[in-house]
Amino acid sequence: MTAKPTAAIAGPLACLALLLCPPLFGGQVKVYQYTQQNGVVAFSDKPPADSPFKVLRYDCFACGVRSAINFNTTPLFLQHYQQEILTAAEQYQLEPSLIRAVIHAESGFNPKARSKAGAQGLMQLMPETAKELGVGNVWLPQQNIRAGTAYLASLLQQFNGNRRLALAAYNAGPGAVNRHGGIPPYAETKAYLQRVDILLRRYQQQSATL
């Protein structure tokens, strides 16, 4: 059974209204834009049953403080973007399992993910960061993974190889890490670090069995 779209809002204020709403289900929110039969553009938190749509927002997969996801058991993405991840890992001398864990935490391996803050793609690159890293098309997995890995590698270098500080900076920004002299006291960042650690351990375990 397909549920009918709910909370559809027509008109130019729709997107603003949805963006101002607090995240549901621990921060994982998709906003669907579609055109109704009468030609009016509508927005909903559920995909329409019989209309083409596009996703406008998908917040950080592992950032929701109240997320109901069990990261010890949630399915892993072991086969997705293997070549792109291996190529980036070799180029920037990072562990493939770490890259895979960050992708999982950031976007749930959704290449069209877009956060309410404007982060985009598999590794949730902010437009300014993507531009600085020379990304031509942030939605292409190869470019997104390469740039996200390059950024993560630069953060590891900036924080002297301290993985947790680098990941905290990836989530909250290096300025926040510097201001607080370590991991920022943000509930979201603490949850993010805990979940990336779990995912990294699980991806490492699976990699060891291959």
Side-chain angles (χ1 to χ4, degrees), residues 48 116 196:
K116 64 179 180 292
V196 172

Side-chain angles (χ1 to χ4, degrees), residues 38-110:
N38 61 3
V40 175
V41 175
F43 300 84
S44 173
D45 62 348
K46 293 182 174 60
D50 53 5
S51 301
F53 62 86
K54 63 180 180 179
V55 178
L56 296 183
R57 186 173 113 196
Y58 189 99
D59 282 352
C60 172
F61 187 79
C63 294
V65 177
R66 297 180 298 278
S67 175
I69 297 171
N70 185 338
F71 285 85
N72 286 294
T73 59
T74 190
L76 298 178
F77 296 86
L78 298 170
Q79 305 300 323
H80 294 64
Y81 309 112
Q82 279 192 341
Q83 190 56 55
E84 291 87 347
I85 290 172
L86 289 174
T87 298
E90 182 176 357
Q91 181 176 357
Y92 295 101
Q93 296 298 292
L94 292 188
E95 184 181 357
S97 292
L98 176 59
I99 300 171
R100 200 170 285 277
V102 170
I103 295 173
H104 195 151
E106 288 290 334
S107 68
F109 275 81
N110 173 9

